[in-house]
Amino acid sequence: MTADQGAPARAPLTAPAPVVKCLVWDLDDTLWDGVVLENDDPEPFPEALETLSALDKRGILHAAASRSEHTAVTRHLTERGLDDWFCAVQVGWGAKSGALRRIAETLNIGLDTLAFVDNDPAERAEVEAALPMVRCYRADEVGRLPDRAEFQPAQVTEEGSRRRALYRTEWRRREAEEEFGEDRQAFLASLDLVMRLRPATEDDLSRASELTVRTHQLNSTGLTYDADELRELSASPGHQVRVARLSDRFGDYGIIGLAVTELTPGDSILRLMLMSCRVASRGVGGVLLNHLVKEALAEGRRPVAHFVPTDVNRNMLVTLRFAGYRPVATEEGHMVLAVDQDRPAPEHHSHTRVITGAE
């Protein structure tokens, strides 16, 4: 059976705006009652503390964007025991929209997954004009934000509830990266990256489903699967559902990748492959694809992949092409790519060691 004869591809659904991944807080008169530069010790609003905790438990990150003096603000965050809540802090006198752009870049997430809360209507208007994809809220709405649909992920997994710790560990990695300056390859080599690829277990299904909903930039088809669908595919002899976990010398990134493959006598058809945006800069998407290609060829199957272009997943197509996939057909709104079994792409050097479930 060929790729064209396999099970019909599922058409990706037109989704509403994605669930918020990070809430960016103004600080003065929004997070706390007062202005740091005018009041020595403004206290945080109780409803703000409740919202910080409620969203954190759902895996939603927090960041800060404040017009103030950086030293004074960071000192107050530390003295009030608030600094640990935030995965990025931008303090200065520039436009808030610029601060939000830098936060999205720091966290490696899309601007359409940011939300912004500020007591100043002029600040909100500036962000709304410059970044219309960012959802903005008044400071007096803070206590009600956890009740809004955009702050309610479909699943709250154990890994999702640890997302803040994962991102703060990433801060330490960024500090180490700065020590290497422009020598990026030396930095990657220093990380001792290890990817563990294995069949998804029952405990993995919620996180794997969460990845299909949350990941947009490194997603080959944009398909979403709930835990029941992934469980059914995992039990099918004609499919493989595998998760990839990444670690380095700083710690564990958690489950960062998912591959759903249909197996036919002649082809290994990658129906969905995605990587968390958190690890895009590590080049591990290519590492996973290269492994899948080698595995399919070793089994005598042609590596095939389906790709559905979106506004944000062009990098995934580039990654597929570097792994040796070439367009061979277009059908039902998606592109079919395949690797020439007689002329596969040369293997690229990688700083990531792959360990499979069989090892």
Side-chain angles (χ1 to χ4, degrees), residues 16-59:
V19 171
V20 171
K21 291 184 180 180
C22 177
L23 176 61
V24 182
W25 296 72
D26 171 53
L27 299 178
D28 294 332
D29 292 323
T30 299
L31 178 64
W32 48 58
D33 188 8
V35 178
V36 166
L37 294 183
E38 298 175 1
N39 186 328
D40 288 339
D41 194 21
E43 295 186 6
F45 291 108
E47 59 268 30
L49 295 178
E50 292 173 3
T51 294
L52 281 169
S53 178
L55 299 186
D56 179 73
K57 291 175 181 176
R58 300 174 190 178

Side-chain angles (χ1 to χ4, degrees), residues 5 46 49 56 65 79 98 105 116 118 152 160 187 192 195 241 251 271 274 278 300 327-328 331 338-339:
Q5 296 172 313
L49 295 178
D56 179 73
E79 291 174 351
E105 182 179 353
F116 176 59
D118 197 309
Q152 298 182 30
F187 166 66
D192 298 328
M195 179 189 292
V241 178
R271 294 288 185 181
L274 59 81
R278 290 188 294 116
V328 295
E331 56 181 50
V339 173

Side-chain angles (χ1 to χ4, degrees), residues 21 104 107-113 214-220 273-278 280 307 310-317 319:
K21 291 184 180 180
L107 300 179
N108 201 19
I109 58 178
L111 284 163
D112 61 344
T113 66
R214 295 179 64 94
T215 301
H216 304 283
Q217 297 177 29
L218 293 177
N219 188 322
S220 61
M273 184 271 194
L274 59 81
M275 278 282 162
S276 169
C277 299
R278 290 188 294 116
F307 178 77
T310 70
D311 292 337
V312 294
N313 72 345
R314 177 172 172 77
N315 283 344
M316 176 56 79
L317 179 58
T319 304

Side-chain angles (χ1 to χ4, degrees), residues 120-180:
D120 189 335
E123 300 282 22
R124 296 196 304 272
E126 188 274 328
V127 170
E128 289 170 343
L131 304 173
M133 72 291 291
V134 174
R135 285 155 282 188
C136 297
Y137 305 92
R138 303 188 310 271
D140 61 8
E141 296 180 278
V142 161
R144 300 189 295 275
L145 292 184
D147 298 327
R148 298 182 67 98
E150 60 267 35
F151 291 93
Q152 298 182 30
Q155 298 99 13
V156 179
T157 64
E158 180 182 355
E159 188 147 337
S161 66
R162 295 192 301 113
R163 188 162 287 116
R164 170 165 53 104
L166 293 172
Y167 272 88
R168 289 184 66 84
T169 299
E170 185 62 22
W171 266 10
R172 297 197 294 274
R173 294 185 179 103
R174 287 178 179 271
E175 291 174 348
E177 184 174 6
E178 291 176 1
E179 296 176 4
F180 285 88

Side-chain angles (χ1 to χ4, degrees), residues 68-104:
S68 190
E69 294 291 344
H70 189 274
T71 301
V73 166
T74 53
R75 181 176 62 246
H76 190 65
L77 284 168
T78 301
E79 291 174 351
R80 278 291 180 176
L82 298 169
D83 57 316
D84 192 48
W85 288 110
F86 295 94
C87 293
V89 176
Q90 290 285 325
V91 181
W93 300 105
K96 290 287 181 70
S97 60
L100 265 65
R101 290 183 192 275
R102 291 189 292 274
I103 287 169

